[in-house]
Amino acid sequence: MNQQDTTQLRNDIKTVARNASVQIQATNQRTFLEQNIPRALTLLLVVPLAALMVQAVRWYGGFQAGTIIPLPVWLLLTCLFPIGWLVFRLARLQLEIDRHRALLAADEHLGSAERITTADDFLQRQQSDGFMQAAVEDASQWAKQGRDARLNRTRQEMPNLRRSMLSIPLTALILGLVIFVAGYTRALPITLPIIGEPQAFAMVPSAVTPPRSENPEPQPPQQETPAERKESPRDPRKQRAVNRQGAANAAIPDNADESQGKLNEGETRESQQSSNPSSARGAPSASGQPSKSDDEAKSKKKKPTVKKPDRDRKKKERKQDEKPSGATAGQGSSKGSDNNAAPSDWASTSQAATPEDENLEDEDEVDDEEEEQESRGGVQPNMRDRRTPVNRDLQIGFGSNRPNPDANGRGGPGGQKKSRGVASLVLGVPIPDRVNGQPNKGRIRITQQRITPEPEQSEPVPAQNRAVRNGPVGPIHHPDLSPWLQNLVRRYFLDQRKKNPLTNTRKETEPTTPPDSLQTTIVGESDTPQS
Amino acid sequence: MSSTLSADTPAEAREAAEEFRSVHAMIRTEVGRMIVGQEATVDGVLAALFAAGHVLLEGVPGLGKTLLVSSLGKAIDLSFSRIQFTPDMMPADIRGTNVLTENESGGTSIEFQEGPLVANLVLADEINRATPRTQSALLESMQEKQISVGKRTIKLEDPFCVMATQNPVEQEGTYPLPEAQLDRFLFKLVVGYPAENDYRTILRRTTSNEQIELKPVSDAQTIIRMRHIVRAVPVPEHVETDAIKLVMATQPGNEHTASMVNDVVALGASPRGVQSLILAGKVRALLEGRFAVATEDLHAVAPDVLRHRVLVNFQGMSDGITSDDVISEVLR
């Protein structure tokens, strides 16, 4: 490969890398847009939802109608938010494709087994042998093919665009709701300063007005605080309970029903929920003076409408509220407070209202409570005298090894129904074995004493007196030598003895080795001859 | 044919590569006269031979593992020896030992008698039946290509290749190979059952009077030259990087390691694994008609190279995960 061909190949590889890089960038951008346009469509909902929340807060906060930001601006923000998000993400996308990656992509597209990338690597090296040059030559035709190649990147799975398209009508719907809410709040008779745009008023139909505006005798706006408006009888359940209570109360005159709508809700219910029954039968004239217990009664009535996550908190608040109620009852009446109940667990669990009970509480229960209070003359049972029933558990007591004094088999808060009478005498009731015994001969006591060690005399045993090893000692390798090899070995050692008389004298003192034992004298790699 | 290689020009490199493919094809064809099917196994054995590595063949009895290696010994004019490993075999039995001999003058002397390990092609049949003591006698010869007995060191002739077989089913009376020895094998090839058509051919060849005599089609010098050609194949930088990352991905606690490997692998591949990957990749690149190693070569040889180097821990074994599963996860 001459210099011209090498230059041509370099140019080809450069072209391949540039084209591949551009195509990879375009593919990445296209893939990014395909992946993120559905998400951007979903983001269309963000601004309208925010607008709706702002309007809801304004509506509940008692502000007057209108929007903080003009409606065209809301519309503009709705469109600009997803676009801006897309542009931001696109700008952060890593678009720079390095040469190596582009060449690998081209190789993969061409199926050239990385020949172009390899040639590009070898061309940059200072020294090259025949195999490298052959590899470079091998890549030249692939580089020519790759100059005009169009990379077809694998299409990634797109998110469900049709589902994301649903966000467009949903956005329009929410925006319409925002407009509706803005117009609805405009008609509220609130004297607070108007914050909003007059265009929003124009889009609200004049027919949309709250029912309170139809009141021929509108109350002065300064008398209705936001807290009182929360207590307004929008809840039909509360309204029915109020009506029914008004009907049941004999002391209230007939025209009280008519005037009930004018009365505050808490004022009427206060007489029912008070812990003092005598005050519940109080004159209507007293109901017109809200007191501290009135607020407590309001909070009690609102509890059933509280959602589940707030129940525990409301329950605690109610417990706290009941304490001053008991104190009030103690002042007004000598009996009639639940705080006098005996502080037993069973009693508390049976009498404490569970969240489910709170859900079931309705106006019928209110009536039942009234009847009970009336039948008892408003006197609550003295819970202090109530004693916790004994446990039915018949266990004799393994842990503390003491019998349970209350275990007489009667009553008790156990989950299962226990047997009574004769049934409890049947041996089906588990009775532990009471026979005691010791598994050993008794307690063993070990006492350590410190003594001085004494030396012991032992007789040295000469090695010659050791007995010959016998018995099973495990597998020992005893290769059977051929007779000529035995003779050879024997003659070898005899020669060795002749050469070294010192060894001969030592050998003579030792017991003579039988000729058969010479079989083991074949030396291995580590068993060098002891001569 | 000279065993040295001169490939300074592209033409010489092309000629050398063509020669490599032709020698490979000749040996493969000759062995194929005896071995029916098992093409992947035959290619793996030849690749290990040309890459100057050793190969461990694992398969149930009756698949022709021993026949393959013995056929290879016949097809190549090499000194071939077979060692049938047994539980009572000692290291001296395979390396050789000093024996007392009588010379011509009637005198005696201690001489070293070579064991069967001193050969070019060694078939270590049922290698897992020998005790670890005897198995360890192969360590030095497989890595250093030499045998040390006492103060004597014997250099083994090139080419030297150990082809061992083992049976994965029978665990009674067998001793699993230590990791140090497993790491010295370039490939661990799993021999599978033949195909249906191969059974017919096997039946015709083995149950009739047909006698197949293999003749040597290559020799030691040729094999040495083939090994030089393999080592002359260049490796691009990105392929080296891929090989290193591939091996590091099998090592637990490494930055390239997947969470699955961290959980189920007790021991990953060693640096010897990278060397084996590259050498085996070079053989494959030559056989594929290329002059440089590509990433696809690494991925193709990775299971055979890394299978015995990845040790699955107890958690992985209890989950039924094998080293092949780990390698598949690493290659993904």
Side-chain angles (χ1 to χ4, degrees), chain A residues 1 100 104 112-115 117-118 121-122 125 128-135 137-138 477 484-485 488-489 491-493 495 522-525 529, chain B residues 7-10 13-14 16 91-92 95-98 100-102 108 110 149 229 232-239 286 289-292 294-296:
Chain A
M1 194 174 208
H100 176 68
L104 279 179
S112 59
E114 301 173 2
R115 281 185 169 89
T117 311
T118 302
D121 182 9
F122 290 162
R125 295 191 183 184
S128 62
D129 57 3
F131 274 93
M132 288 186 184
Q133 294 172 23
E137 287 180 6
D138 201 19
H477 190 57
W484 67 269
L485 189 55
L488 178 67
V489 173
R491 280 194 283 124
Y492 170 76
F493 282 105
D495 291 343
I522 181 169
V523 286
E525 58 194 73
Chain B
D8 295 332
T9 63
R14 290 181 188 279
R95 289 190 304 202
T97 183
N98 291 320
L100 195 63
T101 57
E102 187 176 13
T108 54
I110 294 177
V149 179
I229 292 173
V233 174
V235 182
E237 190 176 350
H238 72 277
V239 177
L286 280 174
R290 279 182 271 111
F291 299 96
T295 308
E296 67 176 47

Side-chain angles (χ1 to χ4, degrees), chain A residues 268-281:
Chain A
T268 307
R269 280 181 300 173
E270 177 269 338
S271 58
Q272 297 177 357
Q273 293 296 325
S274 171
S275 59
N276 190 356
S278 61
S279 63
R281 289 193 295 268

